[in-house]
Amino acid sequence: MNSTGFVWHEKYMWHETGNALGVLPVSGDFQPWVHFENAETKRRLKNLMDAYGFTQKLKSIDPSPATVEQICSVHTSEYVAQIKALSADKGGNAGESAPFGPGSYEIALLAAGGVISAGDAILEGEVKNAYALVRPCGHHAEADRGRGFCIFSNVAIAAKELLKRDDINRIAVVDWDVHHGNGTESAFYDDPTVLTISLHEDSLYPYNTGMIQDTGEGEGDGFNINVPLPPGSGGGAYRSTFESIVIPALDLFKPDMILVANGLDASTWDPLGHMMLLSHHYRSMTQLLVEAAEAHCDGRLLIVHEGGYSAGYVPFCGIAIMEALSGEDSGVVDPFAKHESIWQDLQDNQSAAIQAAAQIGLFKLANQLDKKV
Ligand SMILES: [Zn+2]
């Protein structure tokens, strides 16, 4: 068994986010413009997979909707009821910058449930690892409010559920979305059974979270690592972060499963981030996690789609990740990858930021686990 699972549902593309210039409905003050978070980025990834015959090289996993009980492992029942009521009417805003139209409640349940379905397929041995191309995204959503285009915290909800399964006692979440994974962090801030690691652009969004000093609290202190990277970081900075922090942390923690909050908005062509990753950098990071998963947890690796707003470039990053996951070749050649410069190599200010994060985050994890880095 060496197959890679793939979660997709057409309804994910029917989640409506409206106009980028205001919450639903369109105000009339400015020429309408499609919201940054729209179906096109993800749909173009699926279309590219289909066009190159890559989709059938993966094992399709049908998503089941998450139950309200599963959602409430992370969110308050009041918040869930509020989203359900708004969705049954005209839609609305789940909190801060999280607009949605009618019917998005059921779609959001299917997104969180799709991640759980993928996790179960891995644990039941149907697939070795999986990619969940779900929408809406999840990693900013907090217990009682949606934030940053996210309604339900897909990765956190799935992690809570998978921890109930036999043999899964500790999970590591690696979040390389260009924005801080505040929602996932908050779901496990006092929980030593889930190691959360977020690589993100320093002080991008949310504005005052994701600091290196935020290492967790109570029993969870030491089990949250933030790596805020300077704007302009490229493949060199991300590789250095993996070598200096991510892989050593996984080696210390020894997870039973690795989940990835996969934001493709750290790409060099993303309109909402200021990083410089190319598709082959995402491929390399995935390969390192495939190897870490092999070393620690029989290859159990679940990659969950989060942000990524360059409709032209997201597809190339996404398919590169899936190639590394599956070992299958799509035949796609990234037409943008030739645009690499020395600025994508590790710079001194980036190296200093990574070492600062390592000295706090990695050392604290090691101390908590009573080992030496
Ligand atoms: Zn993002």
Side-chain angles (χ1 to χ4, degrees), residues 120-260:
D120 279 336
I122 294 170
L123 295 187
E124 287 159 17
E126 293 170 26
V127 295
K128 183 170 192 177
N129 53 36
Y131 191 102
L133 181 43
V134 300
R135 189 173 169 263
C137 45
H139 75 146
H140 292 310
E142 297 174 345
D144 59 355
R145 64 169 173 165
R147 296 184 80 179
F149 320 153
C150 302
I151 296 179
F152 295 143
S153 192
N154 301 326
V155 167
I157 292 162
K160 292 265 191 188
E161 187 65 23
L162 295 170
L163 282 167
K164 296 177 186 168
R165 306 292 191 267
D166 291 342
D167 304 329
I168 301 296
N169 298 311
R170 41 174 68 186
I171 287 178
V173 178
V174 179
D175 184 326
W176 61 47
D177 188 287
V178 78
H179 305 100
H180 173 229
N182 62 293
T184 318
E185 173 185 282
S186 66
F188 302 107
Y189 208 55
D190 59 358
D191 184 348
T193 67
V194 177
L195 171 65
T196 43
I197 307 172
S198 178
L199 290 63
H200 47 268
E201 182 179 330
D202 194 355
S203 303
L204 181 57
Y205 178 88
Y207 304 111
N208 296 303
T209 67
M211 310 304 175
I212 57 177
Q213 295 84 2
D214 299 338
T215 54
E217 66 185 10
E219 292 200 344
D221 192 19
F223 295 88
N224 183 69
I225 299 176
N226 282 318
V227 189
L229 295 167
S233 294
Y238 280 79
R239 170 164 281 276
S240 175
T241 302
F242 265 68
E243 290 172 350
S244 303
I245 300 175
V246 177
I247 299 303
L250 294 174
D251 289 345
L252 286 166
F253 186 69
K254 301 190 191 316
D256 298 318
M257 189 166 185
I258 300 173
L259 272 58
V260 178

Side-chain angles (χ1 to χ4, degrees), residues 14-19 22-26 79-95 97-108 151:
W14 299 358
H15 164 59
E16 179 58 48
T17 47
N19 175 14
V23 295
L24 294 170
V26 173
Y79 172 66
V80 177
Q82 174 197 349
I83 299 302
K84 183 179 182 180
L86 284 169
S87 171
D89 188 20
K90 297 186 182 67
N93 193 321
S97 299
F100 62 95
S104 280
Y105 172 70
E106 286 77 14
I107 300 172
I151 296 179

